[in-house]
Amino acid sequence: MTMPGYIDEKAAIQKRLRRIEGQVRGLQRMVEEDTYCINILDQVSATTRALQAVALELLDDHLTRCVVNAVAAGGQEADDKINEATAAIARMVRS
Amino acid sequence: MTMPGYIDEKAAIQKRLRRIEGQVRGLQRMVEEDTYCINILDQVSATTRALQAVALELLDDHLTRCVVNAVAAGGQEADDKINEATAAIARMVRS
Amino acid sequence: MTMPGYIDEKAAIQKRLRRIEGQVRGLQRMVEEDTYCINILDQVSATTRALQAVALELLDDHLTRCVVNAVAAGGQEADDKINEATAAIARMVRS
Amino acid sequence: MTMPGYIDEKAAIQKRLRRIEGQVRGLQRMVEEDTYCINILDQVSATTRALQAVALELLDDHLTRCVVNAVAAGGQEADDKINEATAAIARMVRS
């Protein structure tokens, strides 16, 4: 089985995702306690930024390992990998 | 105590937040199972979009209730509320 | 004729838009001179940020004048204005 | 001199940038004519999207040519190019 690009960063990424899960649970608590809208909005923005940081980490790992390996192997696969990465970046930028 | 703008939408917002918590746990599972980077990236983008939808809902509720009440009450408070909302939108756009 | 919300900021907004026009012409010059991709990308990001700053200024003016006036006038128009503003913010966040 | 990644797309990119310049001039005209705030806001969002499409095109060209060449050449330069690209994507996502 091919190892994913983030294989060496798995523990660090899981740690970030658990922290984000905690942030989302914190949001539920804030809503439960009728916290002021703007304070919740700011916490939503902070959570969004944390998710985007994970996306950028995954993308960096993907380019560094998967794309580099595909380029080293040469041929059509390299082009396919790059088009696939660009399409994922486009979906990320528009989200 | 003043009711927050989202008071009538509390159940709906909590439901969305629980679904987002599920998405973040799904991301952890995907990483655990060495899912391909691009598939995870797309799920991160979907989670980001879900969070932004919550932000827009909260903002709409805030404008509809809190800002409208402040404007009805008149005076400096209305201006303050609008500046506060615009600043939160700016933080949201840049996140 | 109803005055737009930005009426008092017209000169300032035009000045920003002319500067953005200059940035876009600068981008054309960079491409013409075969400037390195990453340097152009960074200038595109700077231009995008400048456009978003104009959007936030217009939104603030709109909330401060048009929405406040609609709320003061009362009735259905206030709700319509707020829904319209929220929908425009959603299109802005997703762009 | 090294050719930039977008060398084969130069004419297409210039065409897009001239169209964006026209959009920015259109925004100035709308402000001049006291166009309704929300209509201008939507045109600003459309212009922002057009700029992001140029950024994604430049990034794709950059990965396809410059990064691939650096990887083919091997060594430290490949890693540097990928880190540089990821950093530019991060600035783009946050703009």
Side-chain angles (χ1 to χ4, degrees):
Chain A
M1 184 195 166
T2 315
M3 287 295 110
Y6 55 82
I7 192 76
D8 295 336
E9 310 297 336
K10 225 166 132 167
I13 289 172
Q14 291 290 39
K15 200 174 157 188
R16 280 168 183 248
L17 288 172
R18 279 193 300 270
R19 207 180 310 139
I20 291 168
E21 189 191 329
Q23 286 178 290
V24 177
R25 267 206 293 264
L27 286 168
Q28 294 168 40
R29 222 161 22 240
M30 291 174 93
V31 169
E32 194 47 49
E33 296 167 358
D34 295 332
T35 306
Y36 182 51
C37 318
I38 297 288
N39 296 345
I40 303 186
L41 259 181
D42 280 344
Q43 271 310 101
V44 175
S45 296
T47 312
T48 303
R49 273 193 299 277
L51 268 171
Q52 281 174 338
V54 170
L56 289 167
E57 170 74 46
L58 286 167
L59 182 69
D60 187 58
D61 296 339
H62 180 63
L63 292 175
T64 308
R65 272 185 73 116
C66 309
V67 172
V68 164
N69 287 349
V71 171
Q76 181 56 36
E77 215 212 327
D79 270 6
D80 291 350
K81 282 283 177 213
I82 284 171
N83 289 339
E84 185 190 54
T86 315
I89 295 165
R91 288 188 292 272
M92 192 166 95
V93 168
R94 277 158 194 159
S95 73
Chain B
M1 184 195 162
T2 316
M3 287 294 108
Y6 54 82
I7 192 76
D8 294 336
E9 311 296 335
K10 226 167 131 164
I13 289 172
Q14 291 291 37
K15 200 174 157 188
R16 279 169 185 249
L17 287 172
R18 279 193 299 271
R19 206 180 310 140
I20 291 169
E21 188 190 330
Q23 286 177 289
V24 176
R25 267 207 292 265
L27 286 168
Q28 293 168 41
R29 221 160 23 238
M30 291 174 94
V31 169
E32 193 47 50
E33 296 167 359
D34 295 335
T35 306
Y36 182 50
C37 319
I38 297 290
N39 297 344
I40 303 186
L41 258 182
D42 280 344
Q43 272 310 102
V44 174
S45 296
T47 311
T48 303
R49 273 192 299 275
L51 268 171
Q52 281 174 338
V54 170
L56 290 167
E57 170 75 45
L58 286 167
L59 182 69
D60 186 58
D61 297 339
H62 180 63
L63 292 175
T64 307
R65 271 185 71 116
C66 309
V67 172
V68 164
N69 288 348
V71 171
Q76 181 57 37
E77 214 211 329
D79 270 6
D80 291 351
K81 283 282 178 213
I82 285 171
N83 289 338
E84 184 191 56
T86 314
I89 295 165
R91 289 189 291 271
M92 193 166 93
V93 168
R94 277 160 195 156
S95 72
Chain C
M1 184 196 162
T2 315
M3 287 295 109
Y6 55 82
I7 192 77
D8 295 336
E9 310 298 334
K10 224 166 132 165
I13 289 173
Q14 291 290 38
K15 200 174 158 187
R16 279 169 184 249
L17 287 173
R18 279 193 299 270
R19 207 180 310 139
I20 291 169
E21 188 191 329
Q23 285 179 289
V24 177
R25 267 207 292 264
L27 285 168
Q28 294 170 40
R29 221 161 22 239
M30 290 174 95
V31 170
E32 192 48 49
E33 296 167 357
D34 296 333
T35 305
Y36 182 51
C37 319
I38 297 289
N39 296 345
I40 303 186
L41 259 182
D42 280 343
Q43 271 311 101
V44 174
S45 297
T47 311
T48 303
R49 274 192 298 276
L51 268 170
Q52 280 174 337
V54 170
L56 290 166
E57 169 74 44
L58 286 167
L59 182 69
D60 186 58
D61 296 340
H62 180 63
L63 292 174
T64 308
R65 273 185 72 117
C66 310
V67 172
V68 164
N69 288 349
V71 171
Q76 182 57 37
E77 215 210 329
D79 271 6
D80 291 350
K81 283 282 178 215
I82 284 170
N83 289 339
E84 184 190 57
T86 315
I89 295 165
R91 290 189 290 272
M92 193 166 93
V93 168
R94 278 158 194 159
S95 72
Chain D
M1 185 194 164
T2 315
M3 287 296 109
Y6 55 82
I7 192 77
D8 295 335
E9 312 297 335
K10 224 167 134 166
I13 290 172
Q14 291 290 37
K15 200 173 157 187
R16 279 169 184 249
L17 288 173
R18 278 192 299 270
R19 206 180 311 139
I20 291 168
E21 189 191 331
Q23 286 178 288
V24 177
R25 267 206 293 264
L27 286 168
Q28 294 169 40
R29 220 158 25 237
M30 290 174 94
V31 170
E32 193 48 48
E33 297 167 357
D34 295 333
T35 305
Y36 182 50
C37 318
I38 296 289
N39 296 345
I40 303 187
L41 259 182
D42 280 344
Q43 271 310 102
V44 174
S45 296
T47 311
T48 303
R49 275 193 298 276
L51 268 170
Q52 279 173 339
V54 170
L56 289 167
E57 168 75 44
L58 286 167
L59 182 69
D60 186 58
D61 296 340
H62 180 63
L63 292 174
T64 308
R65 272 185 72 116
C66 308
V67 172
V68 164
N69 288 349
V71 172
Q76 182 56 36
E77 215 211 329
D79 271 6
D80 291 351
K81 283 284 177 212
I82 284 170
N83 290 339
E84 183 191 56
T86 315
I89 295 164
R91 288 188 292 271
M92 193 165 93
V93 168
R94 277 157 195 160
S95 73

Short mmCIF file of all heavy atoms in Angstrom, two decimals, chain D residues 4 8 10 12 14 24 28-32 37 39 45 48 53-54 58 64 68 70-71 73 87 90 94:
data_model
loop_
_atom_site.label_atom_id
_atom_site.label_comp_id
_atom_site.label_asym_id
_atom_site.label_seq_id
_atom_site.Cartn_x
_atom_site.Cartn_y
_atom_site.Cartn_z
N PRO D 4 9.51 31.90 -17.14
CA PRO D 4 8.55 31.66 -16.06
C PRO D 4 7.60 30.52 -16.42
O PRO D 4 7.43 30.21 -17.60
CB PRO D 4 7.81 32.98 -15.96
CG PRO D 4 7.92 33.58 -17.32
CD PRO D 4 9.24 33.14 -17.86
N ASP D 8 3.86 29.77 -21.70
CA ASP D 8 2.98 29.35 -22.80
C ASP D 8 1.56 29.92 -22.67
O ASP D 8 0.75 29.78 -23.59
CB ASP D 8 2.87 27.81 -22.86
CG ASP D 8 4.21 27.18 -23.19
OD1 ASP D 8 5.05 27.85 -23.82
OD2 ASP D 8 4.42 26.00 -22.81
N LYS D 10 1.00 33.12 -21.54
CA LYS D 10 1.14 34.56 -21.37
C LYS D 10 -0.01 35.35 -21.99
O LYS D 10 -0.61 36.22 -21.33
CB LYS D 10 2.46 35.00 -22.01
CG LYS D 10 3.26 35.95 -21.18
CD LYS D 10 4.67 36.10 -21.69
CE LYS D 10 5.03 37.56 -21.72
NZ LYS D 10 6.50 37.74 -21.89
N ALA D 12 -3.05 34.38 -22.76
CA ALA D 12 -4.32 34.11 -22.08
C ALA D 12 -4.38 34.85 -20.74
O ALA D 12 -5.42 35.41 -20.36
CB ALA D 12 -4.49 32.61 -21.87
N GLN D 14 -2.67 37.62 -19.90
CA GLN D 14 -2.80 39.06 -20.15
C GLN D 14 -4.25 39.42 -20.50
O GLN D 14 -4.77 40.45 -20.06
CB GLN D 14 -1.87 39.51 -21.31
CG GLN D 14 -0.39 39.45 -20.97
CD GLN D 14 0.04 40.52 -19.96
OE1 GLN D 14 -0.68 40.85 -19.02
NE2 GLN D 14 1.26 41.02 -20.14
N VAL D 24 -12.50 46.66 -12.88
CA VAL D 24 -12.18 47.67 -11.86
C VAL D 24 -12.60 49.06 -12.33
O VAL D 24 -13.12 49.87 -11.56
CB VAL D 24 -10.67 47.63 -11.48
CG1 VAL D 24 -10.34 48.73 -10.48
CG2 VAL D 24 -10.30 46.27 -10.92
N GLN D 28 -15.46 51.80 -10.77
CA GLN D 28 -15.35 53.25 -10.61
C GLN D 28 -16.56 53.96 -11.22
O GLN D 28 -17.09 54.93 -10.66
CB GLN D 28 -14.06 53.76 -11.26
CG GLN D 28 -12.80 53.26 -10.55
CD GLN D 28 -11.53 53.54 -11.35
OE1 GLN D 28 -11.38 54.59 -11.94
NE2 GLN D 28 -10.62 52.57 -11.38
N ARG D 29 -16.99 53.45 -12.39
CA ARG D 29 -18.15 54.05 -13.06
C ARG D 29 -19.39 53.86 -12.18
O ARG D 29 -20.18 54.80 -12.02
CB ARG D 29 -18.35 53.37 -14.41
CG ARG D 29 -18.75 54.34 -15.51
CD ARG D 29 -18.44 53.82 -16.91
NE ARG D 29 -18.39 52.37 -16.98
CZ ARG D 29 -17.33 51.66 -17.41
NH1 ARG D 29 -16.23 52.27 -17.80
NH2 ARG D 29 -17.37 50.35 -17.45
N MET D 30 -19.57 52.67 -11.62
CA MET D 30 -20.73 52.41 -10.76
C MET D 30 -20.76 53.36 -9.56
O MET D 30 -21.81 53.89 -9.20
CB MET D 30 -20.71 50.96 -10.25
CG MET D 30 -20.98 49.92 -11.34
SD MET D 30 -20.75 48.21 -10.71
CE MET D 30 -22.45 47.80 -10.25
N VAL D 31 -19.59 53.57 -8.93
CA VAL D 31 -19.51 54.48 -7.78
C VAL D 31 -19.83 55.90 -8.25
O VAL D 31 -20.61 56.63 -7.61
CB VAL D 31 -18.12 54.42 -7.12
CG1 VAL D 31 -17.94 55.53 -6.10
CG2 VAL D 31 -17.91 53.05 -6.45
N GLU D 32 -19.26 56.29 -9.40
CA GLU D 32 -19.50 57.63 -9.95
C GLU D 32 -21.00 57.89 -10.12
O GLU D 32 -21.49 58.98 -9.86
CB GLU D 32 -18.80 57.76 -11.31
CG GLU D 32 -18.72 59.18 -11.83
CD GLU D 32 -18.23 60.13 -10.75
OE1 GLU D 32 -17.21 59.81 -10.10
OE2 GLU D 32 -18.88 61.20 -10.53
N CYS D 37 -25.36 50.16 -3.25
CA CYS D 37 -24.24 49.48 -2.56
C CYS D 37 -24.14 47.99 -2.88
O CYS D 37 -23.06 47.47 -3.17
CB CYS D 37 -24.36 49.59 -1.04
SG CYS D 37 -24.89 51.18 -0.40
N ASN D 39 -25.27 46.18 -5.32
CA ASN D 39 -24.88 45.86 -6.70
C ASN D 39 -23.38 46.03 -6.89
O ASN D 39 -22.74 45.25 -7.59
CB ASN D 39 -25.64 46.75 -7.69
CG ASN D 39 -27.14 46.48 -7.64
OD1 ASN D 39 -27.57 45.46 -7.09
ND2 ASN D 39 -27.93 47.38 -8.18
N SER D 45 -17.17 41.27 -5.61
CA SER D 45 -17.00 39.83 -5.40
C SER D 45 -16.64 39.13 -6.72
O SER D 45 -15.78 38.25 -6.75
CB SER D 45 -18.27 39.21 -4.82
OG SER D 45 -18.54 39.73 -3.54
N THR D 48 -13.03 39.83 -7.49
CA THR D 48 -12.17 39.04 -6.61
C THR D 48 -12.06 37.60 -7.13
O THR D 48 -10.97 37.02 -7.16
CB THR D 48 -12.76 39.03 -5.18
OG1 THR D 48 -12.89 40.38 -4.74
CG2 THR D 48 -11.87 38.27 -4.21
N ALA D 53 -8.98 33.28 -9.94
CA ALA D 53 -8.84 32.35 -11.06
C ALA D 53 -7.47 32.55 -11.73
O ALA D 53 -6.81 31.57 -12.13
CB ALA D 53 -9.96 32.53 -12.06
N VAL D 54 -7.02 33.80 -11.84
CA VAL D 54 -5.68 34.06 -12.39
C VAL D 54 -4.62 33.45 -11.47
O VAL D 54 -3.67 32.82 -11.93
CB VAL D 54 -5.43 35.58 -12.57
CG1 VAL D 54 -3.97 35.86 -12.89
CG2 VAL D 54 -6.32 36.14 -13.68
N LEU D 58 -1.83 30.70 -12.54
CA LEU D 58 -0.38 30.92 -12.35
C LEU D 58 0.22 29.81 -11.50
O LEU D 58 1.33 29.32 -11.76
CB LEU D 58 -0.12 32.27 -11.67
CG LEU D 58 -0.31 33.53 -12.52
CD1 LEU D 58 -0.33 34.76 -11.62
CD2 LEU D 58 0.81 33.65 -13.56
N THR D 64 3.47 22.94 -12.69
CA THR D 64 3.69 22.10 -13.86
C THR D 64 5.07 22.28 -14.47
O THR D 64 5.69 21.32 -14.95
CB THR D 64 2.62 22.42 -14.94
OG1 THR D 64 1.33 22.34 -14.34
CG2 THR D 64 2.70 21.44 -16.10
N VAL D 68 8.25 21.00 -11.32
CA VAL D 68 8.63 19.76 -11.98
C VAL D 68 10.10 19.80 -12.41
O VAL D 68 10.86 18.85 -12.20
CB VAL D 68 7.69 19.46 -13.17
CG1 VAL D 68 8.28 18.41 -14.09
CG2 VAL D 68 6.32 19.02 -12.65
N ALA D 70 12.50 21.59 -11.11
CA ALA D 70 13.35 21.56 -9.91
C ALA D 70 13.44 20.13 -9.37
O ALA D 70 14.52 19.68 -8.96
CB ALA D 70 12.80 22.51 -8.85
N VAL D 71 12.32 19.41 -9.38
CA VAL D 71 12.34 18.03 -8.89
C VAL D 71 13.21 17.17 -9.80
O VAL D 71 14.02 16.36 -9.33
CB VAL D 71 10.90 17.46 -8.80
CG1 VAL D 71 10.93 15.97 -8.48
CG2 VAL D 71 10.09 18.20 -7.74
N ALA D 73 15.70 18.14 -11.55
CA ALA D 73 17.11 18.49 -11.29
C ALA D 73 17.57 17.90 -9.96
O ALA D 73 18.77 17.65 -9.75
CB ALA D 73 17.28 20.01 -11.30
N ALA D 87 4.07 28.23 0.72
CA ALA D 87 3.96 29.51 1.43
C ALA D 87 3.12 30.49 0.61
O ALA D 87 2.30 31.24 1.17
CB ALA D 87 5.35 30.08 1.70
N ALA D 90 -0.49 29.59 0.97
CA ALA D 90 -0.99 30.04 2.28
C ALA D 90 -1.36 31.52 2.22
O ALA D 90 -2.41 31.92 2.74
CB ALA D 90 0.06 29.79 3.36
N ARG D 94 -5.30 32.97 2.61
CA ARG D 94 -5.62 33.95 3.65
C ARG D 94 -5.94 35.33 3.09
O ARG D 94 -6.23 36.24 3.86
CB ARG D 94 -4.47 34.04 4.65
CG ARG D 94 -4.58 32.92 5.67
CD ARG D 94 -3.28 32.59 6.32
NE ARG D 94 -3.39 31.29 7.01
CZ ARG D 94 -2.38 30.54 7.34
NH1 ARG D 94 -1.15 30.92 7.07
NH2 ARG D 94 -2.55 29.39 7.95
#
